[in-house]
Amino acid sequence: MGAHEEYGRRRFDVADAVPLLLDPQGVVTGWTGEARRLLAYPAAEAVGRKLADLLTAEDAQRVPDLVERCRRDGGWTGLLTARHRDGQPVRVAARITSAEEGHGASRWLMLLSELADAPGWDMSRTVLERMVTDAPVGIAIVDTELRFVWSNSALEQFGGGPPSRRLGLRFADVQPGLDAQAVEAQMRHVLETGEAVVGYEHVGHVVSAPLRETAHMLSFTRLEDDRGRPMGVYYTVVDMTERHRARQRLALLDRANETIGRSLDLTRTAQELADVAVPGLADLVTVDLLETVLRGAEVTPGPLADTDPVPHRVALRRTGHRSAQEGVPQAVVGIGEVATYPAGSPPVRCLATGRTWHAERLDPLERVWGTDVPGGRRSTFSELGLHSVMIVPVRARGITLGITTFFRRHGREPFDEEDLRLAEDLVSRAAVCVDNARRYTRERDAALVLQRSLLPHRLPEQDAVEVAACYRPADELTGLGGDWYDLIPLSGARVALVVGEVPGHGIDAAAAMGQLRTAVRTLAAQDLPPEEVLAHLDDLVGRSAREEGAEPGAAGSAGTHYVGSGCVYVVYDPVEGRCAMAAAGHPVPAVVLPDGSVTFVDLPQGPPLGVGGPPFEAVELSLVEGSTLALHTDGLLARSEAWAVDAGRERLRGALEGAGPLDAHCRNVVDALVPARPYDDVALLMARTKRLGAEQVAVWDLDPDPALVADARRRATRQLARWGLEELAFTTELVVSELVTNAIRHAPGPIRLRLIRERALVCEVLDSGATAPHLRHPRTTDEGGRGLLLVSQLTQRWGTRFVQHGKIIWAEQSLTELPELPVTALVE
């Protein structure tokens, strides 16, 4: 606590102060012994006199104003000079407060403390003037017209010349480079309101070469005469340029933390670094990265100088560029283009050593370092308006990934050591993000390669449906998912349409997806109904998780990537125009009718694979030729909440109502509903149904009589003649004979023979038997048992599928590649 504060505190103690009472007009109504000891007036002489009579002439003039202030503010505190009874002045500190008596009359209590022993109050004007004149803080006084009437020498350091040159001028006259209008607005506010302004920060540029930004803190106080009328403004100035720059640097680093690395895209991260640094740190910033970094490949640890030999020229890829003024200077290397630097140039030295390089002043006649400049001519730094540079290597985890170059144009201060440290801090933060993006790029590319190798490169050709598919992987924030689709040709010209989704992301999810897709194709080859395919698949997923010792939903096991998978399995028959389908924890398909109307199949939803629950249910429905089935993963609907699914279905309905070629329509649906970088993987499979014409199918009902086998062969031969397939007659007779004979021998009841001409010639025999035939390899001495062996050798494929009232044995022959007749067939 200072001497004045200690003195004021001690003197205004109730026990030490001299009290007296005043009425509202400033007349003394109460006098004490302490007052008599202080001023020597007896009570008889003091009571009834005006307070002004007890003060010196100078302070007596202030009494009316003091009385007014007391009425307005409820009191007053300040310094006065009282007049002793012998005529000597007595300096006192006075405090006037309101005193209310019981009968309600208003009185004022005045406390006086003598200042005879207080240090400093008796200093001369000369001493006080010397204090403010020699103070290190800039001090000035302006009149009510804001013209300088006095300033100290310290104000010169802030510009505007010596005090004598300022007299009679305004702020804008002496410092035109600063925002005088803002400063004078503060002065006017203080003059008009009397409210002091403390700590006003003013940022401007000193007019010099180079242009230099400065920051000052100003405080303004109104000066008043004895009557309280404004005389001018007293203000002080403190230089806070370094503090301002420090705050700017911290703000720039905060902005870098918020901005750089928001994505895992290499180019975007590099551009974010350039965007943050301009214009706060530099006028032009370029970011160049090694090609291997952009490919996500591993980079040799250490600086380039560790390689032997150092290349004569180094080619980098421009991944970030920002100029404070668009096109000034014009970028000679665009984003994505190659920037080539010769050996020995500063960029290559920086890249080779892994150390920062900077030049406060560039040689104005030196040409830019890059080679292979479009047009064949390199400009000088002077022509580009650049005069100061910093080159900082992009290094993370001991690996140099590229360089970042910072330039300043003419008119700004050259880079200093503080700027260099700030640039290194910015680049080091960005380098970690760049390296994370590089690592992610490598892993994501590997996962994409794996997933694309597991997805069908080309859907099989068939005549059941016209098909189109679109797959869009998730963005870099979530990684690659396990969505997949497939089309599987089945017997009898039918096809299976499958869309599924494996939970999770990354390589593990892609691998799990590939295994699940393989399992589906294996089960589809058994020609099982959709609900049985899903039941077998559910059992396979659950058993796999149990064998790996993992509970469903637990982490840390590859088997858990299967658990919770979704799948919808649809079988379409182009002969009858019917399809059967079942779903396991997966969105139901949509059906687009030929008139463009869209409906969603009322399909019972089974549990996700591997989690257990009620059995799967299938539905069958007839489809008009030209109807389109749309199977998709839940990424197309964006969210899993019920309300969001309903809203997503309506959006999907609107997108599906469009028309056009199926391939384009499929892409348009995904584009309309899914962003370029979706949150989750999206797979859409669209299949427009076809019907095989009556002329492509021939059906005969046969009695179970061995004598009718020859008749069946003749009917088949005549049908082949109608179709122009006489070259397949011999093989078909053998197939019909074997399959019909096998049905007569092993199954009771009627038999149905059906021939289908599609891309292959399909021969089917339906019987009521419940057992499937087995292929045998008879010995040379066996008299029979070669029938199915001949069928397997003469046809592309054959098999058995079970239907509601029996089974169908079928065989297919290619219509483009005629098989060579085996020796056994000729012998037979």
Side-chain angles (χ1 to χ4, degrees):
M1 180 177 294
H4 290 288
E5 297 177 36
E6 171 61 23
Y7 180 83
R9 183 193 66 78
R10 178 169 52 82
R11 282 298 182 182
F12 278 114
D13 285 345
V14 173
D16 195 35
V18 175
L20 56 106
L21 291 177
L22 305 175
D23 69 5
Q25 286 71 40
V27 176
V28 177
T29 60
W31 194 257
T32 63
E34 289 84 357
R36 179 172 182 172
R37 284 192 294 272
L38 178 63
L39 300 179
Y41 294 99
E45 294 182 16
V47 175
R49 298 181 66 174
K50 294 182 178 179
L51 177 62
D53 296 339
L54 302 178
L55 301 177
T56 62
E58 182 178 359
D59 281 351
Q61 297 177 0
R62 299 172 57 191
V63 171
D65 181 60
L66 295 181
V67 172
E68 180 62 29
R69 287 195 180 190
C70 288
R71 291 172 180 170
R72 184 180 70 239
D73 302 331
W76 177 86
T77 300
L79 300 178
L80 294 173
T81 303
R83 186 166 50 84
H84 196 271
R85 192 166 183 265
D86 61 8
Q88 296 297 318
V90 179
R91 292 288 288 170
V92 294
R95 178 176 298 175
I96 303 175
T97 59
S98 176
E100 297 291 336
E101 295 185 353
H103 52 75
S106 178
R107 297 286 183 103
W108 295 100
L109 173 64
M110 186 173 187
L111 299 174
L112 302 177
S113 292
E114 187 177 4
L115 295 177
D117 299 329
W121 291 109
D122 293 332
M123 288 188 296
S124 66
R125 175 175 178 177
T126 303
V127 174
L128 295 174
E129 287 183 349
R130 186 178 301 120
M131 288 175 58
V132 295
T133 301
D134 298 337
V137 177
I139 304 173
I141 298 175
V142 297
D143 59 17
T144 55
E145 295 182 359
L146 308 184
R147 299 185 182 278
F148 285 97
V149 296
W150 180 86
S151 62
N152 67 349
S153 300
L155 198 62
E156 290 185 52
Q157 64 181 305
F158 304 103
S164 59
R165 189 183 302 173
R166 294 173 179 269
L167 293 177
L169 300 178
R170 292 176 56 166
F171 195 87
D173 299 328
V174 297
Q175 292 183 281
L178 299 179
D179 186 3
Q181 185 176 1
V183 175
E184 291 188 348
Q186 297 296 323
M187 295 180 182
R188 290 192 182 92
H189 174 77
V190 172
L191 282 174
E192 293 170 1
T193 65
E195 298 174 357
V197 174
V198 179
Y200 170 71
E201 295 185 11
H202 180 265
V203 179
H205 293 84
V206 175
V207 180
S208 60
L211 193 65
R212 184 170 61 89
E213 186 178 69
T214 60
H216 302 134
M217 179 180 292
L218 296 89
S219 296
F220 304 89
T221 305
R222 187 170 77 176
L223 296 176
E224 301 173 350
D225 60 16
D226 293 339
R227 298 179 179 273
R229 293 174 298 190
M231 299 169 54
V233 175
Y234 162 88
Y235 75 88
T236 61
V237 185
V238 178
D239 189 346
M240 54 172 296
T241 301
E242 290 305 318
R243 189 189 309 173
H244 171 71
R245 291 183 178 180
R247 285 207 308 260
Q248 283 186 316
R249 294 186 183 101
L250 289 176
L252 190 62
L253 292 175
D254 288 342
R255 190 161 65 251
N257 288 335
E258 296 173 357
T259 304
I260 300 175
R262 292 178 300 178
S263 70
L264 288 172
D265 183 277
L266 276 164
T267 302
R268 186 186 302 178
T269 301
Q271 185 60 48
E272 288 167 349
L273 170 59
D275 292 341
V276 165
V278 175
L281 178 60
D283 296 313
L284 172 65
V285 174
T286 62
V287 183
D288 300 325
L289 298 179
L290 294 168
E291 287 280 2
T292 51
V293 174
L294 294 173
R295 294 197 303 268
E298 286 294 342
V299 182
T300 304
L304 189 65
D306 292 342
T307 63
D308 186 23
V310 177
H312 294 292
R313 294 196 308 170
V314 177
L316 302 175
R317 184 73 64 174
R318 179 64 47 83
T319 50
H321 179 276
R322 174 64 64 190
S323 177
Q325 299 181 19
E326 193 66 32
V328 181
Q330 185 66 38
V332 294
V333 180
I335 298 295
E337 296 179 354
V338 174
T340 305
Y341 298 102
S345 63
V348 173
R349 291 204 303 270
C350 178
L351 193 67
T353 62
R355 293 192 295 270
T356 300
W357 179 92
H358 89 288
E360 290 189 8
R361 299 286 184 181
L362 283 167
D363 182 353
L365 300 181
E366 184 179 359
R367 298 193 180 279
V368 294
W369 302 304
T371 61
D372 300 335
V373 177
R377 180 182 180 275
R378 288 183 290 157
S379 301
T380 65
F381 287 112
S382 178
E383 291 172 338
L384 296 177
L386 306 175
H387 80 105
S388 189
V389 64
M390 300 183 295
I391 304 178
V392 182
V394 181
R395 286 179 58 80
R397 303 178 177 98
I399 297 174
T400 302
L401 308 173
I403 57 173
T404 303
T405 308
F406 302 82
F407 289 100
R408 276 185 180 167
R409 304 187 69 242
H410 292 303
R412 286 190 67 178
E413 294 177 271
F415 291 116
D416 57 21
E417 291 298 327
E418 289 294 330
D419 295 324
L420 188 60
R421 285 192 289 270
L422 177 59
E424 289 174 339
D425 200 353
L426 281 176
V427 175
S428 66
R429 296 175 188 224
V432 175
C433 299
V434 169
D435 193 48
N436 289 340
R438 176 189 67 84
R439 291 167 178 254
Y440 170 79
T441 299
R442 180 186 60 199
E443 294 181 6
R444 185 171 187 268
D445 288 347
L448 278 173
V449 169
L450 174 61
Q451 185 176 46
R452 286 168 180 165
S453 67
L454 296 174
L455 288 172
H457 293 241
R458 181 173 59 87
L459 294 174
E461 295 182 357
Q462 36 72 44
D463 290 335
V465 291
E466 177 189 356
V467 66
C470 184
Y471 168 76
R472 183 165 294 176
D475 69 357
E476 68 271 13
L477 295 179
T478 56
L480 187 70
D483 291 14
W484 57 281
Y485 61 89
D486 208 349
L487 183 146
I488 307 170
L490 302 176
S491 62
R494 299 169 306 132
V495 293
L497 304 168
V498 195
V499 168
E501 181 173 9
V502 173
H505 297 91
I507 294 180
D508 290 339
M513 174 271 293
Q515 293 173 332
L516 196 61
R517 176 172 174 253
T518 301
V520 171
R521 293 184 70 88
T522 301
L523 292 170
Q526 300 180 26
D527 254 332
L528 299 173
E531 67 274 19
E532 293 188 25
V533 170
L534 294 184
H536 284 289
L537 201 60
D538 177 70
D539 181 64
L540 176 66
V541 170
R543 186 169 62 251
S544 175
R546 289 192 298 272
E547 288 175 353
E548 294 183 9
E551 293 297 328
S557 173
T560 60
H561 283 286
Y562 302 104
V563 177
S565 298
C567 182
V568 60
Y569 188 90
V570 179
V571 174
Y572 174 67
D573 186 346
V575 177
E576 299 180 0
R578 294 185 62 79
C579 72
M581 64 183 71
H586 200 83
V588 300
V591 179
V592 185
L593 298 177
D595 62 3
S597 60
V598 179
T599 61
F600 291 91
V601 180
D602 186 12
L603 177 62
Q605 190 62 250
L609 299 175
V611 302
F616 299 99
E617 298 182 48
V619 297
E620 291 192 14
L621 62 155
S622 297
L623 295 177
V624 180
E625 183 175 10
S627 300
T628 301
L629 282 165
L631 287 67
H632 60 88
T633 55
D634 57 9
L636 197 66
L637 301 180
R639 297 183 181 179
S640 58
E641 294 90 346
W643 64 269
V645 170
D646 293 339
R649 281 187 179 179
E650 291 306 311
R651 295 173 60 237
L652 176 59
R653 186 194 303 275
L656 288 173
E657 288 176 348
L662 196 61
D663 282 338
H665 189 32
C666 185
R667 288 193 301 271
N668 292 339
V669 170
V670 174
D671 290 340
L673 301 178
V674 180
R677 297 175 180 270
Y679 175 77
D680 193 10
D681 284 21
V682 174
L684 173 64
L685 180 66
M686 298 183 68
R688 185 170 293 161
T689 61
K690 301 178 183 179
R691 293 288 295 270
L692 297 184
E695 69 281 0
Q696 293 179 270
V697 182
V699 182
W700 299 279
D701 290 323
L702 305 175
D703 293 327
D705 185 355
L708 296 179
V709 174
D711 182 54
R713 288 199 299 267
R714 288 192 295 272
R715 292 183 181 184
T717 302
R718 287 195 295 269
Q719 186 62 46
L720 293 182
R722 296 189 191 98
W723 286 340
L725 301 176
E726 292 87 348
E727 65 273 15
L728 297 179
F730 180 75
T731 304
T732 303
E733 285 184 0
L734 289 176
V735 172
V736 169
S737 178
E738 173 57 31
L739 297 186
V740 172
T741 300
N742 188 75
I744 292 173
R745 287 178 179 176
H746 301 288
I751 298 169
R752 174 172 293 177
L753 170 66
R754 185 168 72 169
L755 296 181
I756 301 173
R757 178 175 62 84
E758 191 214 17
R759 293 179 180 269
L761 177 63
V762 182
C763 177
E764 295 182 343
V765 174
L766 167 68
D767 62 50
S768 58
T771 59
H774 299 284
L775 184 66
R776 295 174 53 196
H777 294 274
R779 296 185 298 269
T780 306
T781 57
D782 290 344
E783 296 182 358
R786 295 182 177 83
L788 287 181
L789 178 62
L790 284 174
V791 171
S792 68
Q793 292 181 331
L794 294 175
T795 60
Q796 276 187 313
R797 58 181 188 147
W798 74 281
T800 304
R801 73 174 183 270
F802 289 92
V803 293
Q804 186 174 3
H805 300 294
K807 69 176 183 296
I808 295 175
I809 305 176
W810 56 269
E812 289 185 4
Q813 300 176 69
S814 173
L815 297 183
T816 57
E817 301 177 3
L818 299 180
E820 295 182 3
L821 196 61
V823 176
T824 53
L826 296 176
V827 173
E828 187 87 5

